[in-house]
Amino acid sequence: MAKLSTEELLDQFKELTLLELSEFVKAFEETFEVTAAAPVAVAAAGAAGAPAEAAEEQDEFDVVLESAGDKKIQVIKVVREVVSGLGLKEAKDLVESAPKAILEKVAKDAAEAAKEKLEAAGAKISIK
């Protein structure tokens, strides 16, 4: 197999669906025993150094599940619907670990739609 350049690899990743890319990341993490999650301290330091960017209008939002409320099973079903590629166990774990971000860096309309669905199921949601 020929060695691909960084740009060629990025072009290949652009052709993958979000689910396929998620599966690739999991396989990569398992194969090389690493994690793709960015360290929180680095992300916080980068955010603190960029107050000018915060002044601009926000175009990416995080949907955070504050609590599942009384209808936990319905909330788990909606979480599986909103977050593509989640199995029942993953959705249950996500709901039980509230407060937890369900969607990150999504458009405002997608965040509002997810919030509406989750609140209809009985969850308490915040958008950041």
Side-chain angles (χ1 to χ4, degrees), residues 13 21-40 42-43 104-105:
F13 289 132
L21 189 56
S22 174
E23 290 171 355
F24 169 78
V25 170
K26 286 178 186 176
F28 186 90
E29 289 174 340
E30 290 173 6
T31 302
F32 295 103
E33 298 177 1
V34 295
T35 180
V40 175
V42 173
E104 296 179 336
K105 297 183 181 181

Side-chain angles (χ1 to χ4, degrees), residues 11-119:
D11 288 338
Q12 291 296 317
F13 289 132
K14 287 178 186 176
E15 294 177 13
L16 296 176
T17 65
L18 205 51
L19 183 58
E20 291 170 332
L21 189 56
S22 174
E23 290 171 355
F24 169 78
V25 170
K26 286 178 186 176
F28 186 90
E29 289 174 340
E30 290 173 6
T31 302
F32 295 103
E33 298 177 1
V34 295
T35 180
V40 175
V42 173
E53 290 178 21
E56 295 178 15
E57 187 174 333
Q58 185 176 356
D59 61 349
E60 292 181 336
F61 297 87
D62 295 344
V63 179
V64 179
L65 174 68
E66 299 297 336
S67 74
D70 296 334
K71 302 177 182 177
K72 188 168 137 183
I73 294 173
Q74 284 79 5
V75 172
I76 292 170
K77 289 178 181 178
V78 175
V79 166
R80 287 188 67 201
E81 179 183 323
V82 170
V83 183
S84 64
L86 278 187
L88 184 59
K89 182 182 181 336
E90 291 86 1
K92 180 179 178 278
D93 291 346
L94 195 140
V95 169
E96 289 177 345
S97 65
K100 182 88 171 173
I102 294 178
L103 297 172
E104 296 179 336
K105 297 183 181 181
V106 296
K108 184 175 183 174
D109 57 342
E112 291 292 335
K115 179 181 178 183
E116 187 177 310
K117 285 181 180 180
L118 288 160
E119 284 181 341

